[in-house]
Amino acid sequence: MTVTATSVDGSDQVNPLAPAPRRAWLARLLPALAAALLGVLLYVSFPPRTLWWLAVPAFAGFGWLLRGRGWKAGLGLGYLFGLGFLLPLLVWTGVEVGPGPWLALVVIEAVFVALVGAGVAAVSRLPGWPLWAAALWVAGEAARARVPFSGFPWGKIAFGQADGVFLPLAAVGGTPVLGFAVVLCGFGLYEAVRLGVELRRTGAVRRSAAAVALLSLAAPVAGALAARPLVSDKAEDGTVTVAVIQGNVPRAGLDFNSQRRAVLDYHARETVRLAGEIRAGKVDRPDFVLWPENSSDIDPFANADAREVIDEAAKAVGVPISVGGVVKRDGKLLNEQILWDPVKGPLQTYDKRQIQPFGEYLPLRSLIGSINSEWTSMVRQDFSRGERPGVFDIGGTEVGLATCYEAAFDWAVRDTVTHGAQMISVPSNNATFDRSEMTYQQLAMSRVRAVEHSRTVTVPVTSGVSAIIMPDGTITQKTGMFVADSLVQKVPLRSSETPATKLGILPEMVLVLIAAGGLGWAIGAGVRGRRAGDV
């Protein structure tokens, strides 16, 4: 019923506060609000919280919002879902540089979620729609991990599952299969509830639809349980004792770089302190020591004082040290890991390959400089990319290296294992992000990588949280944040390859093809339906 009011000239006017327009306004607002809140719910499932299971109801709600809607509505609701998820997840990107870059990043990354939302709405009318929809989510993550500027995989659903029941699936097909299982379970949960309501209301549902719903809900859990034998922390090639050094920094923030000598001294001091504990018999002598990324931002090849400090630390502890340095060579600026022997000095190097846009190099430098010259001054010279996988041979132990940001990229970790790594180290520097959730999110990535490739993973960080992770994803030791500390432990070495390691990109490609097939089917069905309507 429409409520009208009579004007002084006797004409009827629609009352804007009438119940019907108000209901229409609420009908448009509530789905939008629900999409944003469900995105927040997905964010809450990520570390440092251990509420991994919240991802399932988050995607169940997302499916409820999108099922049966047009692609335009799916686009808008997907964008709001992406904003609700990514705005709080990535807030750490603006800790030192202000809200501008953080908001710009989120606005761009949420576009991928919006496109997935449009696709999910399109396939939601198909038989078996949870399968197509979950594959579309993985396809969206695959695109986000590659473009723009070589991609930004942060926020992959797999990275929120380090404490969850689905984690063994990482060993089956890597982050794409793990993420697919979580999303499929969420969409399956909604479909099962929807069909349950329909059964109660009408007394009947299609058996095929019920079977799809139950399989979508149960198969991911059953698959994860079946994959548990792939997860093991048993040694295959003996053990090695490692030491992880966290030297700390004088202060958090971007200006920690202005105290480069202090950072180097802190890590050398902590190593010398560890050497004293070894001599006193308080801890075992390690076979090698791992320093974090940027532990020596002074080039030890060009600066004799930095070389002397590292030499003294290596001689004190008596074993090789993997040092994170910033090096200029042949006119190139490199983020480099240097294997430093206490007798022979530097022996091997690894140059970071997946460098961080706007942190280690500046895309569109002239355009960005015209907008804000301060941003260009933060990255005065672009880092160059390395060309070879990082695997150090340290006394017969093959140690794979994935420097900080590289841990987010499937290929950058996998190819250390395919090149012989028996364990993996992820040297990192999180000092620029203060006490934000960033370090916990990155630590969770390393836990997923440990299970994905069945390797011990060490995480030496300048300011925390540093950790030692077993091949089953368990953290056995970790430090606090912004403290000087060291971790020493005997860890297993492994050489067998998981199905995920062997298959590489193949599971992701299959899921992308499934997504494309479902989307093509939905578009074709829509075209045929319009033609039939025109007849």
Side-chain angles (χ1 to χ4, degrees):
M1 179 180 69
T2 302
V3 178
T4 60
T6 303
S7 66
V8 292
D9 62 0
S11 62
D12 290 336
Q13 295 180 331
V14 176
N15 182 351
L17 299 180
R22 185 183 302 155
R23 284 196 298 269
W25 180 77
L26 286 173
R28 289 192 295 270
L29 177 64
L30 288 178
L33 180 61
L37 290 176
L38 287 166
V40 173
L41 184 65
L42 181 59
Y43 153 72
V44 174
S45 74
F46 272 67
R49 295 156 297 276
T50 56
L51 303 174
W52 57 270
W53 53 271
L54 285 178
V56 174
F59 279 103
F62 194 43
W64 163 68
L65 280 177
L66 296 180
R67 189 180 184 278
R69 291 186 182 270
W71 70 268
K72 291 181 181 178
L75 191 73
L77 293 172
Y79 195 75
L80 292 170
F81 182 77
L83 289 179
F85 171 44
L86 295 171
L87 270 171
L89 185 81
L90 303 179
V91 67
W92 52 267
T93 60
V95 166
E96 292 296 330
V97 295
W102 161 50
L103 294 175
L105 175 64
V106 171
V107 164
I108 293 170
E109 293 298 309
V111 170
F112 292 93
V113 185
L115 294 172
V116 170
V120 171
V123 302
S124 66
R125 295 179 176 86
L126 298 179
W129 73 268
L131 171 69
W132 315 114
L136 276 165
W137 184 273
V138 175
E141 288 188 340
R144 199 158 65 84
R146 290 166 173 81
V147 292
F149 312 126
S150 299
F152 187 74
W154 220 277
K156 271 190 168 187
I157 299 305
F159 296 147
Q161 297 296 309
D163 291 292
V165 69
F166 299 103
L167 181 60
L169 289 169
V172 175
T175 59
V177 168
L178 175 52
F180 173 77
V182 176
V183 180
L184 178 63
C185 194
F187 288 147
L189 174 61
Y190 162 65
E191 184 70 353
V193 171
R194 185 187 72 82
L195 291 176
V197 171
E198 182 179 325
L199 178 63
R200 188 170 183 178
R201 187 179 69 249
T202 65
V205 295
R206 295 192 314 276
R207 290 185 178 180
S208 59
V212 167
L214 292 176
L215 281 173
S216 298
L217 185 58
V221 178
L225 294 175
R228 290 183 69 178
L230 295 174
V231 180
S232 173
D233 63 355
K234 298 293 188 294
E236 295 176 333
D237 304 313
T239 60
V240 67
T241 300
V242 299
V244 170
I245 297 295
Q246 177 175 299
N248 202 11
V249 297
R251 57 180 177 269
L254 291 174
D255 62 349
F256 90 96
N257 285 300
S258 65
Q259 305 258 322
R260 293 179 298 167
R261 176 54 189 268
V263 174
L264 172 58
D265 286 345
Y266 282 14
H267 285 82
R269 183 188 307 163
E270 183 61 25
T271 304
V272 171
R273 188 193 67 79
L274 173 64
E277 291 193 340
I278 294 168
R279 288 192 298 271
K282 295 180 180 180
V283 296
D284 294 335
R285 178 177 296 278
D287 294 290
F288 50 86
V289 175
L290 302 169
W291 283 11
E293 177 189 35
N294 299 129
S295 46
S296 179
D297 272 359
I298 302 174
D299 185 349
F301 297 106
N303 296 273
D305 59 336
R307 185 185 185 102
E308 183 179 355
V309 169
I310 298 170
D311 259 333
E312 289 178 355
K315 285 180 170 63
V317 76
V319 297
I321 302 175
S322 179
V323 178
V326 173
V327 173
K328 285 189 176 181
R329 184 181 297 117
D330 300 327
K332 296 179 179 179
L333 188 63
L334 301 166
N335 186 335
E336 189 166 84
Q337 289 293 309
I338 310 162
L339 182 62
W340 206 285
D341 186 82
V343 176
K344 299 177 181 178
L347 297 178
Q348 303 170 50
T349 60
Y350 166 64
D351 300 323
K352 186 176 181 180
R353 294 169 294 162
Q354 187 67 45
I355 56 178
Q356 183 182 353
F358 304 100
E360 293 172 306
Y361 78 100
L362 199 61
L364 310 174
R365 181 177 287 272
S366 58
L367 174 62
I368 290 172
S370 66
I371 298 171
N372 190 330
S373 60
E374 291 184 5
W375 293 348
T376 56
S377 66
M378 291 179 186
V379 187
R380 292 186 177 89
Q381 180 180 350
D382 292 341
F383 279 81
S384 296
R385 299 175 186 272
E387 298 176 352
R388 295 178 290 104
V391 182
F392 283 169
D393 182 347
I394 311 179
T397 298
E398 301 292 319
V399 181
L401 297 163
T403 305
C404 196
Y405 186 58
E406 291 183 320
F409 293 83
D410 295 346
W411 65 268
V413 182
R414 176 181 177 265
D415 71 0
T416 68
V417 179
T418 58
H419 282 77
Q422 298 166 297
M423 62 169 287
I424 300 168
S425 185
V426 184
S428 303
N429 171 29
N430 299 338
T432 53
F433 304 112
D434 204 359
R435 296 182 180 273
S436 70
E437 294 181 356
M438 181 270 186
T439 190
Y440 299 104
Q441 294 170 8
Q442 190 177 54
L443 184 59
M445 293 179 193
S446 296
R447 294 179 63 191
V448 172
R449 299 305 184 193
V451 174
E452 181 179 8
H453 300 294
S454 195
R455 294 293 188 271
T456 297
V457 177
T458 57
V459 187
V461 185
T462 50
S463 56
V465 173
S466 299
I468 296 176
I469 305 166
M470 291 293 99
D472 63 359
T474 302
I475 296 176
T476 52
Q477 291 191 64
K478 65 178 180 179
T479 69
M481 294 184 71
F482 293 99
V483 294
D485 204 352
S486 60
L487 308 173
V488 180
Q489 185 174 321
K490 183 180 290 186
V491 299
L493 299 176
R494 293 177 62 86
S495 57
S496 64
E497 293 187 352
T498 64
T501 306
K502 293 175 181 177
L503 293 171
I505 197 175
L506 184 59
E508 184 179 64
M509 291 176 61
V510 169
L511 290 169
V512 169
L513 289 173
I514 290 172
L519 196 57
W521 184 6
I523 293 172
V527 170
R528 288 191 296 272
R530 285 194 296 273
R531 286 175 179 172
D534 292 338
V535 174

